[in-house]
Amino acid sequence: MSYTVAVIGATGNVGREMLNVLAERKFPVKEVYAVASRRSLGTEVSFGDKTLKCHDLENFDFSKCDFALMSAGGSVSKEWSPRIGATGCIVIDNSSAWRYDQGVPLIVPEVNGDVLAAYMAKNSRKNIIANPNCSTAQLMVALKPLHDENPIKRVVVSTYQSVSGAGKDAMDELWHQTKGMYVPGQEVQANKFTKQIAFNVIPHIDVFMEDGYTKEEWKMLAETKKILDPKIKLTATCVRVPVFVGHAEAVNIEFERPMTVAEARSILREAPGVMVVDKREDGGYVTPIDAAGEFATYISRIREDATIETGLNMWVVSDNLLKGAALNTVQIAELLVNQGLMEKAA
């Protein structure tokens, strides 16, 4: 079997990575279409050794597609995902538009991919599947195997999120702002971010909410409860850092009962999608530069929390454009294919 796939938002950071991941993982494609807004009509993007010209979203016929991988933003997804799903095409959406809809599954394949069978068996399904927030996705991959062995009660996470999570304009701002620090007359003011991002860190991602948390921090809480376990308590501080690609997270976990470092390492080494790199020596850990371009979620710095008997600390790093977005999207499509669930979509 082979499948027809449309990548919507194909000219953006994540859309281009979706095309790369489809090619690299040899997804069984019959045809791939690059789809974008009208202003990108005819723009060329790469798919393996092929070059695709972008089609206009407004005029594209999705009834000929099996999958629509959506990375065009929340407002576009709100309007178009139901329309595309109504044609019978399965939409896998990377925006926040559908994550909290009770009728739409929020999926990290290594964590809760088993819920897809029941969803695909429903006649009333919307044919929309949601991808979690990039910072949530890698955290779920790290927490799930530990939670299965020893239930997690509470998580405290501080994120160090790269600018690529805010799009190409954000990456350009970091690049030009950094250069401008050294070239008189070429200084670049903050535009995409609320403060200078070059040589700085900004404890503000997404909008502020009434309780003082940002929407990004709220997303991590809400998505963890939906994906992993509604009983887990989580608090987050999300920070933008002057890194181009790769999100890092300092994670403190409180379990129901004690867990040793050796036990945690052993569990994580056997977990799908996880690579443990945890040597207590110079360079014996993974940084965003190391993780860029890699499919795995890396875990380092595993150690006991001396302030509580049932606590562990760890450092979690992943390529946010891959596991946090494009890779997770393609893995969902792979899961639907490999479990024979696309037959139910026909």
Side-chain angles (χ1 to χ4, degrees):
M1 291 287 289
S2 57
Y3 301 87
T4 301
V5 181
V7 175
I8 306 166
T11 60
N13 283 344
V14 175
R16 290 175 188 271
E17 287 293 355
M18 285 177 176
L19 290 166
N20 291 338
V21 173
L22 285 168
E24 189 168 341
R25 291 175 72 88
K26 295 180 171 57
F27 188 82
V29 296
K30 178 165 42 180
E31 191 77 45
V32 176
Y33 294 99
V35 181
S37 63
R38 184 163 297 166
R39 68 177 179 272
S40 296
L41 181 65
T43 299
E44 294 185 342
V45 293
S46 297
F47 171 64
D49 57 1
K50 297 180 181 177
T51 299
L52 308 178
K53 286 192 174 182
C54 285
H55 296 261
D56 177 14
L57 173 63
E58 295 279 348
N59 299 313
F60 190 77
D61 177 13
F62 287 97
S63 65
K64 62 186 176 185
C65 295
D66 301 294
F67 292 103
L69 309 187
M70 173 78 76
S71 184
S75 59
V76 173
S77 181
K78 272 290 186 187
E79 177 184 355
W80 281 92
S81 290
R83 293 160 65 174
I84 296 168
T87 70
C89 177
I90 303 296
V91 180
I92 306 176
D93 180 41
N94 193 57
S95 80
S96 61
W98 301 97
R99 291 174 187 160
Y100 317 110
D101 187 310
Q102 291 304 307
V104 173
L106 179 62
I107 301 296
V108 177
E110 300 94 332
V111 178
N112 65 335
D114 56 336
V115 308
L116 287 176
Y119 178 68
M120 295 301 288
K122 290 181 180 178
N123 291 326
S124 60
R125 68 177 185 269
K126 297 177 180 178
N127 282 339
I128 302 170
I129 299 167
N131 226 21
N133 188 37
C134 48
S135 53
T136 305
Q138 67 189 66
L139 182 64
M140 294 302 94
V141 173
L143 294 185
K144 166 67 172 174
L146 298 173
H147 184 60
D148 285 348
E149 292 292 330
N150 187 349
I152 293 170
K153 295 170 61 177
R154 180 172 181 262
V155 179
V156 181
V157 56
S158 297
T159 72
Y160 305 75
Q161 295 178 227
S162 67
V163 295
S164 56
K168 184 180 182 300
D169 289 346
M171 297 177 76
D172 289 344
E173 185 162 314
L174 172 58
W175 173 248
H176 293 299
Q177 214 170 62
T178 302
K179 289 195 300 180
M181 297 289 286
Y182 297 100
V183 183
Q186 292 190 20
E187 296 85 356
V188 175
Q189 298 301 311
N191 180 36
K192 185 70 178 180
F193 299 108
T194 56
K195 289 181 181 282
Q196 174 184 310
I197 185 61
F199 305 99
N200 199 16
V201 298
I202 304 172
H204 174 194
I205 301 177
D206 212 322
V207 298
F208 274 97
M209 304 176 73
E210 287 187 5
D211 61 2
Y213 284 87
T214 63
K215 188 74 175 289
E216 185 84 356
E217 292 157 355
W218 175 84
K219 287 175 191 173
M220 294 193 74
L221 167 64
E223 293 172 19
T224 295
K225 289 180 176 294
K226 184 172 180 179
I227 295 168
L228 188 56
D229 191 332
K231 296 190 292 294
I232 292 177
K233 295 178 180 180
L234 183 143
T235 185
T237 301
C238 293
V239 182
R240 192 72 72 185
V241 297
V243 169
F244 285 107
V245 176
H247 287 357
E249 298 169 347
V251 185
N252 176 267
I253 309 166
E254 181 184 349
F255 296 95
E256 281 194 359
R257 57 183 187 275
M259 176 178 283
T260 67
V261 170
E263 288 172 331
R265 277 206 199 103
S266 177
I267 292 165
L268 291 167
R269 283 195 174 115
E270 299 299 318
V274 170
M275 288 286 290
V276 176
V277 180
D278 187 23
K279 298 177 182 178
R280 296 178 176 180
E281 60 187 43
D282 292 354
Y285 42 80
V286 172
T287 63
I289 283 177
D290 304 316
E294 300 292 333
F295 288 164
T297 294
Y298 291 90
I299 301 179
S300 307
R301 302 293 318 282
I302 305 168
R303 59 207 188 278
E304 292 177 8
D305 178 355
T307 69
I308 186 172
E309 290 184 359
T310 58
L312 286 179
N313 291 299
M314 60 187 185
W315 175 250
V316 181
V317 183
S318 189
D319 184 322
N320 56 294
L321 298 179
L322 291 176
K323 187 54 190 172
L327 173 63
N328 200 74
T329 304
V330 174
Q331 285 178 313
I332 292 171
E334 289 173 342
L335 196 60
L336 291 169
V337 169
N338 294 338
Q339 292 187 357
L341 299 176
M342 288 306 290
E343 297 166 18
K344 294 182 172 61

